[in-house]
Amino acid sequence: MKVLVIGGGAREHALCRSLSLDPGVTALHCAPGNAGIAEVAQTHPVDALDGGAVAALATGLGAELVVVGPEAPLVAGVADAVRAVGIPCFGPSAKAAQLEGSKAFAKDVMAGAAVPTARSYVCTTPAEVDEALDAFGAPYVVKDDGLAAGKGVVVTEDVEAARAHANACDRVVIEEFLDGPEVSLFAITDGTTVLPLQPAQDFKRALDGDEGPNTGGMGAYSPLPWADPKLVDEVMASVLQPTVDELRRRGTPFSGLLYAGLAITSRGVRVIEFNARFGDPETQVVLARLQTPLAGVLLASADGTLADLPPLRWSDDAAVTVVVASHNYPDTPRTGDPIEGLADVAAKDAPDAYVLHAGTKQSGADVVSAGGRVLSVTATGTDLAQARERAYAAVARIRLDGSQHRTDIAAKAAAGA
């Protein structure tokens, strides 16, 4: 099978790495890719938001499966354009991708499917914002209705900060704060059958101890030793299958990756948000544990045959990923700094630890930073403690001026806390 992956972040590098290890993949392409992806796939320049350009590239390459990684191309209808030229595509239609593209749409779908979630108000005026903030009180949870690259959510005790964020958005969802730990659960679906993956936990705040501003994610781990063994079955029954069924009932069937961001509250599981694609950085640890070859699973989602697949096979190993971010992330990050030590990790830590590139590019002989989140250093081990030790040993080999990373990824879970 010839496969084309669309995107250029660490999630796409994780996808490309897994696909490159799949004996059923005969040719692997990625557009636009990055410096790390170029080591496992042939990269091509493309505007990932231009459905016509992506479809033309896929046709020219003779691709037999296109995998759309990021949310913005999905919301822009890239998967529709690829399917229109007769090529199977992993990823939802533009209409179904509104599950991520609009928080208000997602809340409406959840209401129709009786999915447990936070109570919320959709606000478009300052008066509505003030009323909603007063109704819920602190801590305030304010979400930009549209796509914001993982940084459109403010959770704060400061009503003025909440009001400022709300009034900077055209449309905003204000909701009750959900207590309890958060879990990310991915499911692959063809619009009818739903195939859950292993749960993971990510770390949204920039600094140790869950301090600092929200980011796109600073690290993740899987499995979750503290989670109820019945969690996946419960979420399948109360969240994932009802959502897929409701979207099909509405005439907007969802095929691709359905990501449920969950809070395990004192009142039970609640959905914080849905995403319409693999999450970053959770994909890095989930795929590190998946033993079933990936391409056939993604193709079965694209062509509606998931029900025919045997159960997925998983490693018992644990996986941890630590994000190395550039100076000043998540504000305006500094780019263009050389990255050193990548060859050291490859020589000394592989295959137990490896580097997935996010915001990187090739500049002459150097790999340099080209974004806020630069690298995802991923490691596996017999348990979280070993995976964590290996991940941080690899991080220590990398040199990037002004870079930052959290030092406490998976620390509590590894310690049994």
Side-chain angles (χ1 to χ4, degrees):
M1 193 194 317
K2 294 179 182 176
V3 183
L4 169 62
V5 176
I6 302 301
R11 162 187 45 228
E12 288 76 37
H13 193 175
L15 287 164
C16 285
R17 179 181 181 275
S18 290
L19 290 166
S20 73
L21 298 172
D22 185 335
V25 175
T26 54
L28 181 59
H29 302 269
C30 185
N34 62 37
I37 292 172
E39 296 176 6
V40 295
Q42 185 177 345
T43 59
H44 306 267
V46 78
D47 177 356
L49 297 176
D50 185 337
V54 171
L57 175 63
T59 302
L61 293 172
E64 294 155 289
L65 174 66
V66 175
V67 179
V68 182
E71 61 272 23
L74 292 167
V75 172
V78 168
D80 304 84
V82 171
R83 281 191 276 266
V85 296
I87 299 173
C89 186
F90 180 81
S93 66
K95 285 184 178 178
Q98 283 301 304
L99 200 63
E100 178 169 3
S102 167
K103 304 288 191 302
F105 176 79
K107 287 288 187 183
D108 190 55
V109 170
M110 283 188 263
V115 166
T117 186
R119 293 179 298 121
S120 63
Y121 294 100
V122 179
C123 307
T124 56
T125 68
E128 291 173 347
V129 166
D130 289 343
E131 188 177 341
L133 293 173
D134 288 344
F136 288 130
Y140 304 98
V141 181
V142 184
K143 299 180 176 182
D144 190 336
D145 180 57
L147 293 180
K151 296 188 282 288
V153 179
V154 165
V155 181
T156 179
E157 298 277 347
D158 182 345
V159 70
E160 291 305 324
R163 184 177 289 120
H165 181 64
N167 290 331
C169 304
D170 290 334
R171 185 158 77 150
V172 70
V173 174
I174 296 175
E175 62 185 38
E176 67 176 327
F177 177 77
L178 297 174
D179 64 324
E182 295 184 14
V183 172
S184 300
L185 183 60
F186 302 163
I188 292 172
T189 178
D190 56 12
T192 302
T193 300
V194 181
L195 197 62
L197 305 186
Q198 290 289 310
Q201 186 175 60
D202 78 332
F203 293 75
K204 287 289 187 199
R205 299 285 189 167
L207 306 176
D208 284 5
D210 293 326
E211 300 288 336
N214 256 15
T215 71
M218 295 298 291
Y221 69 93
S222 179
L224 311 182
W226 49 267
D228 187 326
K230 301 190 193 78
L231 176 65
V232 173
D233 291 341
E234 180 187 340
V235 175
M236 268 291 291
S238 67
V239 175
L240 297 171
Q241 192 70 57
T243 300
V244 169
D245 292 346
E246 173 68 10
L247 285 163
R248 189 176 66 252
R249 185 187 69 77
R250 289 174 177 229
T252 51
F254 187 107
S255 73
L257 194 290
L258 177 59
Y259 165 138
L262 309 164
I264 313 302
T265 78
S266 53
R267 294 173 294 144
V269 174
R270 297 287 185 272
V271 174
I272 301 169
E273 65 176 356
F274 282 125
N275 290 333
R277 39 72 194 179
F278 279 102
D280 184 347
E282 300 98 319
T283 301
Q284 289 85 302
V285 292
V286 172
L287 291 186
R289 300 184 58 222
L290 179 65
Q291 292 182 326
T292 301
L294 182 61
V297 181
L298 303 185
L299 182 62
S301 164
D303 66 14
T305 58
L306 270 182
D308 301 334
L309 289 185
L312 297 178
R313 291 181 290 107
W314 296 93
S315 167
D316 290 331
D317 282 355
V320 171
T321 193
V322 179
V323 170
V324 177
S326 55
H327 177 73
N328 207 37
Y329 178 78
D331 293 326
T332 308
R334 192 175 79 205
T335 59
D337 290 311
I339 303 165
E340 300 176 342
L342 297 174
D344 288 348
V345 175
K348 297 172 182 174
D349 300 301
D352 298 321
Y354 49 88
V355 178
L356 298 169
H357 292 232
T360 71
K361 68 177 183 180
Q362 196 75 36
S363 178
D366 294 330
V367 175
V368 301
S369 60
R373 291 186 296 171
V374 181
L375 305 168
S376 283
V377 181
T378 305
T380 55
T382 54
D383 56 21
L384 283 174
Q386 186 180 53
R388 192 172 178 278
E389 184 180 329
R390 287 171 171 174
Y392 279 106
V395 168
R397 299 191 200 279
I398 293 167
R399 295 174 297 285
L400 171 62
D401 187 48
S403 68
Q404 53 176 313
H405 64 271
R406 284 185 56 160
T407 65
D408 61 348
I409 303 301
K412 285 183 181 178

